[in-house]
Amino acid sequence: MLHPSYGELIDKINQVNEENGDPKINSRYTLIMAISRRARDLVDGAPKMVEDKYNGRVLSISVAEADAGKMGVVIASPDEDENKDVPVDEMSDVDLSTPIDDET
């Protein structure tokens, strides 16, 4: 059995979200994505919000941060401009001279 359980972690994150005025989460997928993104932030050098008693294991640290109530989750709404057409002049240059090898 996992400790803390998914339910416990979701409850802790929802408490933080409620304090911040953010909507609650109810999905294990959202929880896992938030914890894994926090672990990537730790790998990139973000400061730890809890004592590191996990020998630098960033996933364990990020779970401990969520369990300590140090982490909330904000679901970003899709940006309206995200799907707009981009003029050709603003597109990145693509080198079409490089041959593509067939995988056989």
Side-chain angles (χ1 to χ4, degrees):
M1 178 176 187
L2 292 174
H3 184 74
S5 69
Y6 289 113
E8 291 172 339
L9 289 174
I10 288 174
D11 290 342
K12 298 262 177 110
I13 287 176
N14 283 334
Q15 287 174 354
V16 173
N17 281 1
E18 187 175 326
E19 291 170 5
N20 294 335
D22 295 322
K24 292 183 175 184
I25 65 166
N26 58 6
S27 166
R28 285 184 183 183
Y29 176 78
T30 303
L31 172 70
I32 297 303
M33 290 302 298
I35 288 175
S36 66
R37 285 185 184 186
R38 177 62 184 150
R40 278 183 262 155
D41 288 344
L42 291 169
V43 167
D44 291 340
K48 298 171 184 73
M49 295 186 282
V50 295
E51 181 183 343
D52 182 5
K53 54 184 176 183
Y54 303 100
N55 296 325
R57 293 178 297 190
V58 292
L59 192 57
S60 296
I61 294 168
S62 62
V63 169
E65 290 176 349
D67 190 37
K70 304 279 186 183
M71 188 168 87
V73 176
V74 178
I75 307 292
S77 61
D79 188 9
E80 293 177 9
D81 294 334
E82 184 176 310
N83 294 323
K84 75 175 189 175
D85 292 332
V86 177
V88 174
D89 294 341
E90 295 179 17
M91 291 184 183
S92 62
D93 293 330
V94 177
D95 183 9
L96 299 176
S97 65
T98 305
I100 299 173
D101 295 332
D102 290 337
E103 293 182 8
T104 54

